[in-house]
């Protein structure tokens, strides 16, 4: 139970969370220990840019000397006593991912998926932050890749994580879902938006739902969370209640928003499990926390 009395899906393993790699902070800040970890037994995560290089449905690892010449190496941590690294690619991306990579990720074991998510967020951040936000001069990797330091003003920069609320909004036995123009045809999901400076999670939920759908909500409660490395978000899953279902959709944010019945959502989720389109809409895929939020909501009625 949460402090608000909302039952949590704690037994459910949410994709991209639960890495089995020990981040070994005591090694990050110790140059001698970090150098000692870079043995021939250390392993490098094979990446094609930001995408994983897979062997069937598994990540692939190579010796450290497989890294491109001159590439910065990020220390991911230790697993089974061996150091794990990933190389920073020439360019990063702010794109939210694509269906091809999501299909590949859906096949990965949980531990591989979590390891890849951490690596992707880190190396992408490094690729996009080669210059100091304080003075504009170049930065260099520090603390095994968990920091960048400016070569001119010595400002320290740290990998960024942006909190995003993603929320179920219910009215009676119906649930508000929306679709963005970039979604595949027929797909709907929970509304979502960034937490802004000076806001609590609850305030961000209320503001985003009001801005995107014109609906006022109350009694916001936390359900679950998910790291989302596209590019580096923490998805904070919540539920809220609406007294008035009237919609005023902001079409700069959403292409559409609708109230769906419990039966329609159950049918869409069942179709998703079979790999089929849903009768009323297509549910979010298993790699997204929205899938687990909807599953959780359906289980509350049992």
């Amino acid at each position: 139970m949460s402090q608000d009395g909302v039952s949590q899906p704690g037994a459910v393993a949410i994709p991209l969370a639960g890495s089995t790699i020990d981040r070994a902070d005591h090694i990050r800040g110790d140059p001698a220990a970090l150098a000692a970890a870079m043995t021939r037994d250390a392993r490098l995560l094979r990446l094609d840019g930001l995408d994983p290089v897979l062997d069937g449905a598994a990540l692939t690892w190579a010796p450290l000397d497989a890294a491109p010449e001159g590439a910065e190496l990020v220390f991911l941590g230790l697993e089974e006593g061996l150091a794990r690294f990933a190389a920073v690619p020439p360019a990063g991306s702010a794109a939210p991912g694509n269906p091809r990579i999501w299909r590949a990720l859906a096949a990965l074991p949980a531990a591989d998926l979590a390891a890849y998510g951490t690596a992707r967020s880190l190396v992408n951040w490094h690729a996009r932050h080669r210059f100091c936000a304080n003075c504009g001069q170049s930065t260099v990797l520090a603390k095994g890749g968990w920091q960048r330091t400016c070569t001119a003003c010595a400002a320290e920069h740290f990998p960024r994580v942006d909190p995003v609320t993603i929320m179920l909004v219910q009215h009676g036995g119906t649930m508000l879902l929306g679709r963005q123009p970039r979604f595949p045809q027929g797909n709907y999901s929970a509304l979502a938006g960034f937490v802004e400076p000076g806001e609590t999670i609850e305030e961000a939920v209320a503001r985003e739902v009001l801005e995107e759908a014109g609906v006022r909500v109350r009694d916001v409660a936390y359900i679950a969370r998910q790291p989302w490395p596209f590019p580096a978000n923490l998805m904070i899953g919540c539920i809220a209640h609406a007294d008035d279902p009237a919609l005023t959709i902001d079409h700069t944010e959403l292409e559409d928003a609708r109230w769906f019945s419990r039966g329609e959502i159950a049918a869409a989720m069942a179709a998703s499990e079979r790999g089929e389109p849903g009768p009323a809409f297509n549910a979010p895929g298993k790699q997204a926390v929205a899938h687990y939020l909807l599953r959780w909501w359906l289980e509350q009625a049992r």
Side-chain angles (χ1 to χ4, degrees), residues 11-53:
V12 177
I14 293 180
L16 295 158
S19 175
T20 57
I21 297 177
D22 175 2
R23 300 190 179 205
D25 180 68
H26 64 286
I27 292 179
R28 296 179 192 174
D30 185 338
L34 190 59
M38 301 177 74
T39 69
R40 66 179 184 179
D41 292 327
R43 286 293 176 262
L44 177 78
L45 179 63
R46 294 184 63 206
L47 297 171
D48 179 9
L50 293 172
D51 293 348
V53 176

Side-chain angles (χ1 to χ4, degrees), residues 77-192:
L78 301 174
E79 188 169 38
E80 298 179 348
L82 300 180
R84 305 277 178 159
F85 292 84
V88 178
S93 173
N98 59 74
R100 181 186 62 80
I101 188 62
W102 291 338
R103 285 192 296 270
L105 297 184
L108 287 178
D112 275 8
L113 186 56
Y116 168 69
T118 300
R120 187 189 199 281
S121 289
L122 278 171
V123 300
N124 191 20
W125 178 82
H126 281 283
R128 298 174 63 211
H129 291 82
R130 299 184 191 276
F131 297 92
C132 179
N134 186 51
C135 72
Q137 297 301 306
S138 62
T139 60
V140 292
L141 181 147
K143 290 189 176 178
W146 296 84
Q147 178 181 313
R148 293 193 76 85
T149 302
C150 180
T151 57
C153 71
E156 298 176 346
H157 305 278
F158 300 92
R160 172 176 169 174
V161 176
D162 296 318
V164 176
T165 56
I166 180 165
M167 42 277 182
L168 302 180
V169 179
Q170 66 177 7
H171 173 74
T174 63
M175 181 65 62
L176 177 62
L177 302 176
R179 59 171 282 109
Q180 297 179 13
R182 64 179 177 83
F183 284 9
Q185 188 63 35
N187 283 30
Y188 282 75
S189 186
L191 304 189

